Amino acid sequence: MTEDQTTPESLTGLKILLVEDEAMIAMLVEDMLMDSGATVVGPAGGVKAALDAISTEEIDGALLDVNLGGEQSFEVADALASRNIPFVFVTGYGGAGVRERYPDAPTLQKPFVTSDLERALSGLAGAARDR
Amino acid sequence: MGEPAGWPDELKTVLVLCLQSSVPTAIYWGPELRLIYNDAWAPIPAERHPGAIGAPAREVWADIWDVVGPQFQSVLASRRGFSTFDQKLMMVRSGKAEETYWTYSFTPIADPAGNVLGVLNQGHETTDTVLASRDQAFLLDLGDRLRALSDGEFDSPAVLSIVLGALGRHLGLARVGYATVDEAGEQCTVVANWREDQIGDISEGTFQLADFGEAIVSGVREGRPVASDDVAFDPAHSAQVTDAFLAIGVRANLVAPVMRGGRASAIVFLNDHEPRRWTRRQVDLAREAADRIWGALERADSLARLRVSESRFAAIYDQAAVGLSEVDQDGRFIRFNDSMGRIIGRSPADARTLTIADVTHPEDIAESRAHILDPVRSRQPFQLEKRYVRPDKSVVWAVTQVTQLIDEHDRPSGFFSVTTDITERKEEERIRAWLLAELNHRVKNNLSTVQALASQTRQSVESLDEFEAAFNARLMALSRAHDLLMRETWTSAGLGELAAATLAPFKLDDDARIVIRGPEVRFSPTAAVTMTLAFHELATNAAKFGALSNPGGRVTVEWSIDTSRNGGVVELSWREAGGPNVPPPSRRGFGSRLIERGAPRELGGDVRLDFEPDGVACAFRLPLSQKITAP
């Protein structure tokens, strides 16, 4: 068994903040996270909702869509980083600028399947358990 | 002089000397200075020989007595010898006074008592030498005067005016002119003539050469000068030829052809209003002058062509649409044209104060410099894509084609550049790259949406057939939303059009079944997709269970904008009427989840979905935002 191989419900017990403005995609990713055993916080459709969730909820990691209907999610990333909460960027439309702002952040390119999501978040899971 | 036997000893002695000498020697003897001379001296009096022998000097030299008379007198009176060099004597020869020059001496012959008995004369004519050196000086002076002309002054009229005038004055002529000869060698056209008052102006006149005699025609054809001392008494001339000359005021004529490419392309003509004896020397001088005129005119011609070419180049340079510039070896501008001025935002008048580094974008200076300093690379024309910075800090992208300039010593002297503003092209390239990246992102995003549709549809169906029908219907709704967005170049879609396009398949050709009304509201692309799918789910449900499931049912989609709220709120309602009684669903599926949770999260605001007996009622309260706008 190699380290990055995932098992069903590999995200069990983790509270993951989902920041995604498009309703359909939010529903898809929400289902994927739940299938992997995670508890979903959100989905937050915008920067304000995401910042509210960060300040009120105990979260282990976050999945951030870069473009939130015209506004970018870097402010959310900054808030997460300042709390040492690990996160993964989801890029699709309007993902420009991620590399410049967060050269080391893991990114997930749309479209993706559950195993991609688990692989991207597995590192976060380890980091969360180590905390 | 009496019999020789009675001559005094002095005369005898001198006479022996004289007759034995090979130097031209004459003895003027006695009070009347009667002339005795040797064979060498005989040609000097010309046609006066031999009649001059024994004749008094005053009679023999009546024509020059004004000069030599006093010279004899002074020798007789002073009893001293006299000599002179290049003495000018206007001597009559062949009935005409001629300018002649002589170097000679007068030596007194005296008796033991000191009385002067006669004068010994030795000497020779120097006319040719004197006139030849004058001609030489004349030609030198002519060369100096032509050289004194600046390139700008050096044109045909100036050259002709100088040479013709100088030649006429030097030879004391009435008229000197220059005429071009046609290719057939038949006629000539006078380009210019210098003249004195006693003769007329014939410039711009055209003459048939044959009218002036066969000698001139053949002379012009063969490149020989032709002279006529007196056109009225020239044995070669018919009466008509004589008249042709007299008609233009000519008695003495000399024509020197200018030969080029085996034919006479022009002639120089020398005219006098009186007969004159042309000398070999004058003929040669005329030929020399003709050659000089030709050479000078060729130079004038090439200078004129150069001026035309320079002005043409200047016009091209000034008006070229591309930037043209010249810099020296150190990158200092020497000049640039208006187009280049526009590119770099500077005036051509300031060229000398600027360097390439002054106008180049700081990040591109190193590359420009590397090219210019590389002796191998810079020898070949090269192309640079670089940025210039204008004084107002705006940046211009340009392509510049650079060619090394080489001076007359084969050394690099600078660079010539042709520069084109490619800012627009660069901007287009940037937009194209951006569009491609954008297209990639949008396709990926749409694939995610399709993936979500498939996933959600799978959760609410019980068979693959059912999946296919539901999935296809949702995919078509998504596609119609895209059509609307495309129409507005993917900026936004109108709420009315969204509703109409999504609900159109459910009208079943009865426009009354679905009523859509409300003011202009626009949805951003992702919001439009979500709203389309919400309408689609409501309509699908109505078609299965609600008002659209029987012929009498009606659906009303209605909205208004409540501006009293903070920023404005769109109040949108979906109401069904006339359908069968609908029991509330036992479980809530994809549609409810999208409408009740997904839509409000994405669009802000809230949604109330009620399953009432006469059909579904759904109320959206959506705040105006970046995603939802009203004019």
Side-chain angles (χ1 to χ4, degrees), chain A residues 30-31 48 67 69 77 83-84 89 102 116:
Chain A
E30 189 179 18
D31 290 350
K48 189 180 174 303
N67 180 37
R83 287 171 164 77
N84 286 320
F89 277 117
Y102 287 93
D116 297 327

Side-chain angles (χ1 to χ4, degrees), chain A residues 61-108:
Chain A
L63 211 52
L64 287 184
D65 185 12
V66 178
N67 180 37
L68 301 174
E71 50 180 7
Q72 289 196 302
S73 61
F74 296 127
E75 201 185 329
V76 181
D78 292 344
L80 291 166
S82 73
R83 287 171 164 77
N84 286 320
I85 300 170
F87 56 88
V88 171
F89 277 117
V90 177
T91 64
Y93 164 63
V98 178
R99 292 250 171 274
E100 291 75 19
R101 291 285 295 264
Y102 287 93
D104 300 325
T107 60
L108 201 53

Side-chain angles (χ1 to χ4, degrees), chain B residues 310-333:
Chain B
E310 274 177 347
S311 69
R312 188 181 303 133
F313 174 74
I316 293 170
Y317 192 84
D318 291 344
Q319 292 157 26
V322 291
L324 301 176
S325 59
E326 213 178 311
V327 297
D328 68 12
Q329 204 57 8
D330 302 317
R332 282 189 291 265
F333 281 102

Side-chain angles (χ1 to χ4, degrees), chain B residues 207-364:
Chain B
F207 301 92
Q208 297 301 317
L209 290 174
D211 291 350
F212 297 91
E214 187 48 42
I216 286 187
V217 173
S218 61
V220 164
R221 191 168 53 234
E222 292 155 20
R224 252 184 316 105
V226 177
S228 181
D229 291 352
D230 185 346
V231 298
F233 293 95
D234 194 314
H237 290 175
S238 66
Q240 289 93 328
V241 168
T242 300
D243 288 346
F245 277 113
L246 295 179
I248 53 171
V250 177
R251 280 299 291 273
N253 183 58
L254 171 56
V255 165
V258 177
M259 299 300 285
R260 279 298 176 276
R263 71 175 192 92
S265 57
I267 53 171
V268 171
F269 57 88
L270 291 71
N271 297 154
D272 211 351
H273 65 298
E274 292 174 334
R276 87 185 264 145
R277 186 177 307 130
W278 299 106
T279 62
R280 179 75 239 158
R281 190 183 47 72
Q282 288 169 336
V283 171
D284 289 347
L285 191 66
R287 296 178 71 171
E288 177 69 29
D291 270 358
R292 298 248 176 148
I293 287 178
W294 180 261
L297 288 182
E298 280 207 317
R299 172 151 183 252
D301 218 37
S302 67
L303 281 170
R305 278 197 301 272
L306 187 64
R307 279 192 288 270
V308 168
S309 142
E310 274 177 347
S311 69
R312 188 181 303 133
F313 174 74
I316 293 170
Y317 192 84
D318 291 344
Q319 292 157 26
V322 291
L324 301 176
S325 59
E326 213 178 311
V327 297
D328 68 12
Q329 204 57 8
D330 302 317
R332 282 189 291 265
F333 281 102
I334 294 164
R335 65 176 71 88
F336 53 74
N337 68 355
D338 288 345
S339 293
M340 186 64 185
R342 278 191 292 278
I343 291 172
I344 60 177
R346 319 270 181 158
S347 162
D350 298 334
R352 290 267 177 188
T353 67
L354 295 167
T355 68
I356 289 187
D358 292 337
V359 300
T360 300
H361 192 282
E363 288 169 24
D364 293 346

Side-chain angles (χ1 to χ4, degrees), chain B residues 163-199:
Chain B
V163 180
L164 300 178
L167 188 60
R169 276 187 288 266
H170 176 66
L171 296 180
L173 291 165
R175 184 169 61 205
V176 179
Y178 177 84
T180 54
V181 175
D182 71 347
E183 220 157 306
E186 288 171 356
Q187 63 176 36
C188 69
T189 302
V190 178
V191 177
N193 64 184
W194 168 90
R195 68 191 177 92
E196 294 284 16
D197 292 338
Q198 61 266 43
I199 201 164

